[in-house]
Amino acid sequence: MSKALKFTDDSFEEDVLNADSDKPVLVDFWAEWCGPCKKMAPHFEEAGEEMDVNFGNVDMEEHQQLGGQMGVRALPTVLIFQDGEEIARKSGLMNKDQIKTWIESEA
């Protein structure tokens, strides 16, 4: 069972874009002030723990530049990366089952 990583401006390239893994990487862009983000957080964590993926979060308050570089316009936004490339993106509140179904359909 994995725990969510904390992706930062400094770690994003290594942990996501150059990840040394065959597993997809899920990245949740969120902020402390975002109600839907807080509500989705435990669902994101549970889905990540139950699936064969690497996963983590980017705090947009601390890493606004990274969100801008990735074109994040709404919170929460979850991106799926495979082999360093973004393969899917979804914005808005999702529960655990919705997250898992989405990952299975995209990755």
Side-chain angles (χ1 to χ4, degrees):
M1 191 162 24
S2 300
K3 283 294 206 187
L5 300 170
K6 301 296 179 200
F7 300 127
T8 67
D9 294 328
D10 295 330
S11 72
F12 193 81
E13 186 171 345
E14 181 179 342
D15 292 341
V16 177
L17 302 180
N18 296 326
D20 186 24
S21 174
D22 293 334
K23 298 177 185 180
V25 181
L26 269 66
V27 182
D28 175 24
F29 287 83
W30 73 284
E32 183 66 33
W33 50 261
C34 170
C37 297
K38 290 170 130 180
K39 188 169 185 174
M40 189 175 86
H43 296 279
F44 179 78
E45 181 102 13
E46 289 174 18
E49 289 174 352
E50 292 178 12
M51 301 196 69
D52 190 25
V53 297
N54 294 323
F55 65 104
N57 305 299
V58 174
D59 183 343
M60 289 289 289
E61 284 294 301
E62 295 178 11
H63 305 287
Q64 292 177 12
Q65 182 177 350
L66 181 55
Q69 289 173 342
M70 298 310 302
V72 174
R73 304 278 183 252
L75 298 179
T77 293
V78 180
L79 281 62
I80 304 175
F81 289 84
Q82 183 76 52
D83 299 321
E85 299 290 327
E86 180 185 334
I87 61 169
R89 164 186 304 238
K90 192 164 188 154
S91 295
L93 178 63
M94 294 182 280
N95 66 33
K96 179 179 77 171
D97 291 335
Q98 290 169 321
I99 295 168
K100 289 174 68 173
T101 299
W102 176 62
I103 294 166
E104 290 167 351
S105 73
E106 299 290 346

